[in-house]
Amino acid sequence: MAWMAWTIPTAIFFGLIAALLIIFTVLAIRYPETPRTGVLGIETTRGDRLFITLLGSAFINLAWLGLVDAPQPWAMLVCLVYAAAVFRWV
């Protein structure tokens, strides 16, 4: 495990991703859903929207690091707004 710096923030990040996956699995079992078509024109489920949110948030954070001269925690607010938009309209 020496190839990666397992700091507390890193462990929290991966722990939250694992928790999200578990929660979404339980939701899918307990409350099955039918795919819906949003603004992208493709059918998506909750899991699809979670994946789109995580992928987009990664790009938002990378762009924030390279283009914006503001503290990184502000990028989290942008990601939360993005996540709300994805789950509402995609």
Side-chain angles (χ1 to χ4, degrees):
M1 298 287 275
W3 60 272
M4 184 172 183
W6 282 101
T7 62
I8 295 298
T10 304
I12 291 170
F13 173 78
F14 284 107
L16 287 174
I17 298 297
L20 274 172
L21 292 173
I22 291 168
I23 290 168
F24 273 69
T25 301
V26 170
L27 283 173
I29 293 169
R30 189 151 183 179
Y31 305 106
E33 69 170 334
T34 57
R36 69 177 194 203
T37 303
V39 296
L40 294 179
I42 59 174
E43 289 186 347
T44 59
T45 62
R46 281 186 291 256
D48 298 329
R49 291 187 293 275
L50 175 64
F51 177 75
I52 291 168
T53 298
L54 291 174
L55 190 62
S57 294
F59 284 115
I60 289 169
N61 277 284
L62 286 172
W64 192 274
L65 283 172
L67 303 173
V68 179
D69 191 29
Q72 191 67 25
W74 289 104
M76 185 177 72
L77 292 176
V78 175
C79 290
L80 289 173
V81 170
Y82 171 72
V86 167
F87 273 90
R88 175 70 176 109
W89 291 301
V90 173

